[in-house]
Amino acid sequence: MGYRCNFHCKHCLIADKESKELSLTEIRLLRKLLASQNFDSLLFVGGEPTLYISTINKVLEGFVKGPKTIVAITTNGHFAASESSARETLKKINGLNYVQVSYDNYHKKFIRLSNIHNLYQASKSLGMG
């Protein structure tokens, strides 16, 4: 959705990229593409996708998800200081049913392991993979 991220990891390939938002034209094109394709999964990455919840929801507007379609994000989990804050953030993304976490030796400088636990518990309580 964009390159913006709240971390500045040494290994990041997009850290120095210009952080611009998708235009309305680009959002419309993505919606048209989603409507014309048959796919099993849709993964939102970034930057940090939770910094683009509004844009993600605009892209997904009118999107009809099949019963087995996976709508996923890959996140750094910055928003998961508590299980309830994680749950509230995840619930804001329309149709989200799967969460991946990017956490390694580089990320642990910016985030506590407890955030990952909170994110796991929130995802589980919401029935997400």
Side-chain angles (χ1 to χ4, degrees):
M1 300 285 53
Y3 296 118
R4 195 166 27 130
C5 185
N6 48 338
F7 295 170
H8 301 284
C9 302
K10 287 182 189 179
H11 72 294
C12 187
L13 299 175
I14 62 166
D16 295 329
K17 302 268 186 176
E18 184 181 339
S19 182
K20 64 178 188 174
E21 299 278 334
L22 291 178
S23 70
L24 266 165
T25 301
E26 291 168 321
I27 290 171
R28 286 184 190 119
L29 285 170
L30 281 171
R31 288 192 345 214
K32 186 176 179 179
L33 179 66
L34 288 176
S36 70
Q37 300 297 312
N38 184 18
F39 53 88
D40 296 327
S41 62
L42 180 61
L43 173 63
F44 292 97
V45 297
E48 170 54 35
T50 60
L51 299 176
Y52 295 95
I53 291 174
S54 175
T55 305
I56 290 171
N57 287 337
K58 286 177 187 171
V59 168
L60 292 172
E61 219 171 79
F63 172 63
V64 179
K65 188 170 83 169
K68 294 184 180 183
T69 305
I70 296 170
V71 175
I73 60 169
T74 298
T75 180
N76 62 30
H78 71 96
F79 56 89
S82 70
E83 185 180 334
S84 63
S85 66
R87 192 172 30 257
E88 290 308 309
T89 298
L90 296 176
K91 286 179 3 183
K92 290 178 183 177
I93 302 173
N94 298 333
L96 183 68
N97 58 2
Y98 191 87
V99 179
Q100 297 181 123
V101 179
S102 182
Y103 184 80
D104 53 26
N105 281 331
Y106 297 105
H107 291 107
K108 73 179 182 180
K109 175 181 176 183
F110 300 100
I111 192 165
R112 296 184 343 224
L113 189 56
S114 61
N115 281 48
I116 307 308
H117 175 76
N118 292 335
L119 185 54
Y120 171 77
Q121 292 299 327
S123 299
K124 186 176 170 183
S125 75
L126 291 169
M128 296 180 179

